[in-house]
Amino acid sequence: MIKAIKGVKDLLPEESPRWRFIEDTARRWALAYGFQEIRVPIFETTTLFARSIGTTTDIVEKEMYTFADRDGSSLTLRPEGTAGTVRAFIEHNRAADPRPQKYCYAGPMFRHERPQAGRLRQFHQFGVESFGLSDPRADIEVLSLLWRLLSDLTLPGLTLEINNLGYAEDRARYKPLLVAFLKTVESRLCGNCRRRIETNPLRVLDCKVPDCRAATEGAPCLGDSLSPAAQQHFERVTAGLQSIGIPFHVNPRLVRGLDYYCLTAFEVTCSHLGAQNAVGAGGRYDGLVEQLGGAAVPAVGFAVGLERIALMLPETFIVPSIPRVYVAAFGTQAADAGFVLLDELRRAGVPADMDFRSTSLKAHLRQADRLEALYTILLGDDEVAKGTATVRHMQTKAQEDVPIRDLVSLFRDRLLKR
Ligand code: ATP
Ligand code: MG
């Protein structure tokens, strides 16, 4: 038997309403904030990700699904959504458009990770990117959207942590201080972190290994190396968050796994998720558009993981069912007449169904129950001859006789005009 690949998941029909609810909620909030949906390809040239995410990041070093195309060029399944969105922004010269360029997206991402609860190899993100705005209000807008939509999903135990990563020059000033410190505690660090001292020292601060965390307790603080401009930007972001009532904690250790962030960086965690507790993350990435060959366009964005949100949605979340009609047509002529009626109901926009395998009234009623139909139309050969069908309310069991030609308008009134 052929099975699905390790770390990928099928979304069965029972789960899809919950997913649709999450995606619809996210999209609705984003649209209300003026973000418009963009759909970019799920594969791109490998260089795009290497150049944007950074060659010394976990993603590029060991998590990408990279393969050779038939002409030998190297392609990669997207591990995140920002790089492709920035590429599209540049390629379509969106910087020339005077309107705000605020995009949202949803779709699958691919990373070769060790599969576990909330960590998959194909997973899904919803994200937003806001281009062209260096004003701290753009950071606040994105943070506010993130917080409001997660709150609207009634996710329990959320915490928003933010940090100031400063400008590239600030980090360049800080790096030697950090590296000098890390060398003094090198023997206490994990193998990965020992390597990172040279390649990506800031990431050591983000390591989840307890010994590394303890060893870096006394590390010099990035905050002390930041320029006045970087500090001012951050102060305006935190003041703005306070002014609109968004709760947050400043976490001086927070750095992101992708190289392109600057100034504001943030992460939302959930206390109900166990080890994989990050729900979403993002930040400002002012240098990325230029780095990928575009103009110097500032940008800020976030992405949330839909699998983790789905895990957190309270189990009691009830999907509102669509009121529908079941056509129980039994008998030779009634089966044909019922099929025509089914089509008329559907053309009128009335959700309607029938199980073509059922032939007896009893079998039809059983299926109507299983499909949670609100009404069943009982239609036998006698009813067809009389031109009248019986309409049964499936919860109250009340029945009424209705002329067949009136059925469509009856259900249009009852199910659609509510
Ligand atoms: P983590 O620290 O959990 O590895 P990350 O920093 O790699 O997260 P980002 O690249 O910032 O995550 O992606 C944003 C969100 O996407 C994460 O907060 C998480 O909810 C989700 N996500 C990331 N990787 C995975 C994965 N392999 N499986 C499921 N969801 C994921
Ligand atoms: Mg990761």
Side-chain angles (χ1 to χ4, degrees), residues 134-153:
S134 56
D135 193 298
R137 282 174 296 182
D139 310 41
I140 303 165
E141 176 176 64
V142 157
L143 278 158
S144 156
L145 170 57
L146 171 62
W147 188 257
R148 304 277 184 238
L149 87 83
L150 293 178
S151 306
D152 190 31
L153 288 166

Side-chain angles (χ1 to χ4, degrees), residues 83-159:
T85 308
V86 172
R87 193 228 2 98
F89 175 86
I90 298 168
E91 192 166 332
H92 302 286
N93 193 23
R94 305 294 290 196
D97 192 324
R99 289 170 298 183
Q101 298 296 306
K102 302 196 295 186
Y103 306 143
C104 66
Y105 62 83
M109 307 294 161
F110 307 85
R111 296 185 195 175
H112 192 276
E113 304 210 63
R114 196 164 65 77
Q116 48 201 296
R119 192 174 291 287
L120 292 137
R121 291 183 174 174
Q122 173 175 329
F123 62 100
H124 298 77
Q125 285 184 337
F126 175 85
V128 308
E129 317 291 355
S130 164
F131 291 103
L133 308 167
S134 56
D135 193 298
R137 282 174 296 182
D139 310 41
I140 303 165
E141 176 176 64
V142 157
L143 278 158
S144 156
L145 170 57
L146 171 62
W147 188 257
R148 304 277 184 238
L149 87 83
L150 293 178
S151 306
D152 190 31
L153 288 166
T154 65
L155 303 186
L158 295 178
T159 307

Side-chain angles (χ1 to χ4, degrees), residues 69-86:
D69 202 352
R70 285 168 195 275
D71 65 1
S73 57
S74 180
L75 303 181
T76 293
L77 297 182
R78 64 180 185 193
E80 51 93 65
T82 301
T85 308
V86 172

Side-chain angles (χ1 to χ4, degrees), residues 59 63 79-80 111 113 118-125 203 206 208 256-258 261 267-268 275-282 303-309:
I59 292 181
E63 295 176 0
E80 51 93 65
R111 296 185 195 175
E113 304 210 63
R119 192 174 291 287
L120 292 137
R121 291 183 174 174
Q122 173 175 329
F123 62 100
H124 298 77
Q125 285 184 337
R203 281 289 276 167
D206 194 38
K208 304 284 188 292
R256 303 280 315 123
L258 301 80
Y261 288 111
E267 187 164 76
V268 174
Q276 266 47 259
N277 67 353
V279 185
V304 293
L306 299 185
E307 278 77 7
R308 294 190 193 170
I309 293 178

